[in-house]
Amino acid sequence: MTNRQHPNRRTFLWMTLITVGVLLALALNITEWLRGGFGWRWGYQPIPLIRMGVLIIIVVGYLVLMWLLRNRRLWVLFTGVIIGAAIVTYAVAYVRDGDALYAMLTRTLSEGATAPHFVGVWLNSAEAEPLWRDWSALMPNLPRHVALSPPGAPMWYASLESIFNALPTSLSESLRAPLYPYQCQVYTFIEYTPAEWAIAWFGILMPLIAGFIVIPLFAVAKTFFDDQHARRIIIAWGLIPNMALWGGLWNTLYPLLAIASFLYLHLGIVHGASNGLRHRKTVRHLYISGVWAGIASFINFAFMPMFLL
C-alpha cells in the first residue's frame, strides 16, 4: 500500500509545483506570451497587495476548514467544499475588480462575456420565436461566443425570464434591488426590465451551482480510489484555478455536466458487463448518461465527442 501511495504523492507534488509556477509567472508577468499572442492577448492588470492578502487569507481558511471537515460525514464535507469553493471564486473576482458582486453581474449581463443572457432576453419575444427554430441561420449575427454554440444557454435565460414575467413583479423588483445601483456604472443596464435583472442572479450564483460537481466527482473517484483519496480529490477541486478565474461564466458548469454523464456511463457499462446491456438498471444508467450528455451538447458543441464514448 505504501509503495502505491508514493507515486501518487509525487505526481500530486509535481502538479502542484507546476500550477504554482505558472500562476507566479502570470502574476509577475514574466512573459506576455502567457497571456496570448496569436491574434489576441489578455491585458495585464496589476492588483493592490491588500486584495491579494485577502485572497491568501481566504485560501488558507479554506484549507484549514477542509482539514477539519476531511473525515466528517459526506454531506458536511460536500457542503463545506461547495460553499468554500464559491467563496474562493468570489474572492478572486474581488481581487481583480474590487467588487465581487459587480464582477459577477457584468460577466452575466455583458454582451461580450459569452453573452447568453444578452441573447436570451433579446430573443424572448413572440416576434423572435421563428429565430429559435432556425438557429444555424441566426448564428452568424450573434456575439462571437454564442455564435459558436447551440441555443441551450440563451434559451435557459429566456425561459427564466418568461417564468419571472409570469410571477408577481414585486418578486423581480426585490431581486433587482441589490443590483440596481450598478446601472450607474454600466448605462446599458438601465434598459433591462425587473425580470431581466432578476434572472442575472443565476449567473451571480453560478459558483455555488458549479460546486455541486463534488457529488458526482466523489462518486467517480470512489470507483477508482478509496474513500480518503476521493475526499482529497473533491477538496482539491475547490482550488482549481480555472474554476475560480472564470466564476460566473457557463464554462464552470461544463465539468459538472461532463462528470455526471461519465459517472452514469461508467455505472451502466460496469453493470451491463455483469448483468447484460438489456438489464433494467443498465438501461437506466445509460439513459441518464445520455440525458446529461444531451443537455451538455445543447449548450456547447465541445461536448459532441462525448457521444463517441
Side-chain angles (χ1 to χ4, degrees), residues 62-77:
Y62 172 84
L63 292 173
V64 171
L65 178 63
M66 292 304 104
W67 175 263
L68 297 174
L69 299 181
R70 69 190 189 284
N71 294 321
R72 298 288 297 275
R73 293 183 178 180
L74 272 181
W75 72 267
V76 176
L77 180 61

Side-chain angles (χ1 to χ4, degrees), residues 195-235:
E196 291 167 358
W197 278 96
I199 63 176
W201 280 103
F202 178 78
I204 295 170
L205 296 176
M206 201 173 287
L208 279 171
I209 301 170
F212 280 90
I213 188 179
V214 299
I215 299 173
L217 180 61
F218 179 83
V220 170
K222 276 291 294 287
T223 63
F224 298 101
F225 307 102
D226 59 28
D227 182 79
Q228 286 300 313
H229 281 85
R231 288 171 180 262
R232 293 171 188 169
I233 287 171
I234 64 171
I235 289 172

Side-chain angles (χ1 to χ4, degrees), residues 164 169-180 194 197-199 201:
F164 274 94
T169 306
S170 58
L171 176 60
S172 296
E173 290 177 342
S174 63
L175 291 172
R176 179 186 65 173
L179 310 176
Y180 205 47
W197 278 96
I199 63 176
W201 280 103

